[in-house]
Amino acid sequence: MYAEELVNRTNSYYYEHDIALIEKRYIPIKIIKTLNENTIIGKLLAKSYVDYCGIYKGKHIEFEVKQTNNNNFDLSLIKQHQLKHLINNKRHGGVAFIIVYFNSLEQFYLISIDNILEWKENNKSNTIKHEFIKDKCQLIEISFPGIIDYLPFIGL
């Protein structure tokens, strides 16, 4: 996934330059059978939370990374338990957001949990319109060498 690849590269950059410690969470899977060196059969052990967690400037950060072919963002791409987890993280003083890559626009946006809650409170649609995202959320430019510097947009 292109978006996760750039986020992983960015997180490595943050780590190497002692800016932040953000790690990818992996899905808890029990390997049942190995078919070959690249393929396994596994069983999901538990619901996973969100893709990434870490610490920046003394604050706990949790976020999800999504990619879409549409110009709008469908909240159904985030599982209910993940959304609840992001809301709880924010409620306990952490920083919670999603990073969305819009393939057709070739743009990354950081959408805070507050933006998501505002949309849900004021709209019946589960699809966040691009106009709202463009007006209320943070556009993240890709910089050399394939970094999407998202930390300046999280409000710390």
Side-chain angles (χ1 to χ4, degrees), residues 13 26 30 33 43 70 88 97 101 105 124 137 150:
Y13 175 87
Y26 291 95
K30 177 181 179 185
K33 183 177 181 181
K43 178 182 176 184
N70 300 318
N88 285 339
F97 55 93
Y101 179 67
L105 303 170
K124 291 184 171 137
C137 304
Y150 60 86

Side-chain angles (χ1 to χ4, degrees), residues 124-141:
K124 291 184 171 137
S125 171
N126 208 31
T127 301
I128 302 176
K129 301 295 181 204
H130 186 260
E131 292 75 30
F132 177 89
I133 294 169
K134 192 171 77 170
D135 292 343
K136 300 268 188 166
C137 304
Q138 302 297 321
L139 175 67
I140 309 170
E141 300 289 340

Side-chain angles (χ1 to χ4, degrees), residues 53-66:
C53 67
I55 190 161
Y56 173 63
K57 292 187 176 180
K59 283 283 199 178
H60 183 73
I61 296 171
E62 300 227 12
F63 64 99
E64 184 72 14
V65 176
K66 295 295 179 189

Side-chain angles (χ1 to χ4, degrees), residues 14-59:
Y14 289 158
Y15 181 78
E16 290 164 8
H17 291 85
D18 198 27
I19 296 168
L21 177 59
I22 314 288
E23 296 179 332
K24 169 97 171 118
R25 280 191 174 135
Y26 291 95
I27 299 171
I29 295 176
K30 177 181 179 185
I31 298 173
I32 296 180
K33 183 177 181 181
T34 302
L35 300 177
N36 61 48
E37 65 182 48
N38 295 321
T39 308
I40 62 164
I41 296 174
K43 178 182 176 184
L44 191 62
L45 296 175
K47 289 181 180 178
S48 63
Y49 289 108
V50 292
D51 290 334
Y52 296 90
C53 67
I55 190 161
Y56 173 63
K57 292 187 176 180
K59 283 283 199 178

Side-chain angles (χ1 to χ4, degrees), residues 48-50 64 66 73 75-91 96-98 111-117 120 126 128:
S48 63
Y49 289 108
V50 292
E64 184 72 14
K66 295 295 179 189
F73 182 70
L75 286 170
S76 68
L77 293 173
I78 302 173
K79 294 179 178 97
Q80 277 305 115
H81 71 276
Q82 292 174 318
L83 186 58
K84 182 179 178 184
H85 187 78
L86 290 171
I87 291 167
N88 285 339
N89 182 63
K90 168 77 175 172
R91 192 167 44 85
F97 55 93
I98 60 173
I111 304 173
S112 73
I113 194 64
D114 291 333
N115 294 135
I116 294 170
L117 294 173
K120 288 176 73 68
N126 208 31
I128 302 176

